[in-house]
Amino acid sequence: MALSRKEREEFLAEAHVAALAVDAEEGRAPLTVPIWYQYEPGGDIWVMTGRDSRKNRLIQAAGRFTLMIDRLEPTIRYVSVEGPVTDTTPATLDQLREISARYLAPEKVDGYVDFASANHGDQVVIRMRPERWVSSDLGTV
C-alpha cells in the first residue's frame, strides 16, 4: 500500500542509511552507493560527500539523483525519492557533526568527526529538492 505524504516524509526523516543512485558515464550502469543523509519533513534532503569524489562529479553532471530507503522491521517499507540538485556548498564542521550525530551513538560522534575531518579531505553538501516519490508499506507479508 502506498504511503501518504505525511507517512513517507516521516519515514524519510528517520535515520536510515540510503542507497544513492545517479546516472553514470556512457556504457556504465548508474552509480549506486550507501550514504548518510539529512532530511526534515517538507524540506530539502542533503548529503555530504568528497568534493573530488566520483559521486559528486556524477551528481553535478546529472543535476539530480535518487535516494532509496527501506526497512524490514516492524513492517516491510520503502521510500524512493528523486529530485534536482538545488545547491552544492563546501561542508562545514557543524554539518559533519550534525550528520554524524544522526547516525552514531553520542559517545562516538567527536571521535568520528575528528577522524573524518583529518582523513576524508574536502567535503561538499549537496541539497536535493524531493520531486518524485515512490513508496509502499507491504506489511508483515
Side-chain angles (χ1 to χ4, degrees):
M1 171 178 255
L3 301 176
S4 70
R5 178 180 181 159
K6 182 177 189 265
E7 289 172 323
R8 70 185 186 210
E9 288 186 347
E10 287 174 353
F11 181 71
L12 188 63
E14 295 171 4
H16 301 284
V17 174
L20 180 146
V22 62
D23 192 31
E25 300 91 356
E26 188 174 331
R28 300 276 309 261
L31 174 68
T32 306
V33 294
I35 195 163
W36 291 353
Y37 68 94
Q38 181 62 289
Y39 175 74
E40 292 183 22
D44 287 349
I45 297 168
W46 63 266
V47 298
M48 184 179 295
T49 191
R51 183 191 67 201
D52 298 326
S53 68
R54 178 173 181 238
K55 184 176 4 180
N56 184 40
R57 287 192 312 274
L58 292 173
I59 290 170
Q60 298 310 315
R64 61 190 314 108
F65 62 94
T66 298
L67 292 181
M68 196 286 296
I69 301 91
D70 67 341
R71 71 167 194 214
L72 299 176
E73 300 279 335
T75 61
I76 299 169
R77 178 176 278 196
Y78 72 89
V79 169
S80 178
V81 60
E82 174 210 348
V85 171
T86 59
D87 190 39
T88 302
T89 57
T92 66
L93 195 58
D94 286 342
Q95 288 167 320
L96 176 58
R97 185 169 307 285
E98 177 183 342
I99 204 161
S100 299
R102 177 173 163 86
Y103 290 94
L104 300 174
E107 66 274 10
K108 303 276 186 180
V109 173
D110 287 340
Y112 178 78
V113 168
D114 290 345
F115 171 82
S117 59
N119 294 287
H120 290 172
D122 292 335
Q123 302 284 301
V124 293
V125 167
I126 304 168
R127 296 186 185 280
M128 180 256 278
R129 180 178 309 112
E131 189 175 77
R132 293 187 178 91
W133 298 77
V134 179
S135 63
S136 185
D137 191 316
L138 304 175
T140 57
V141 189

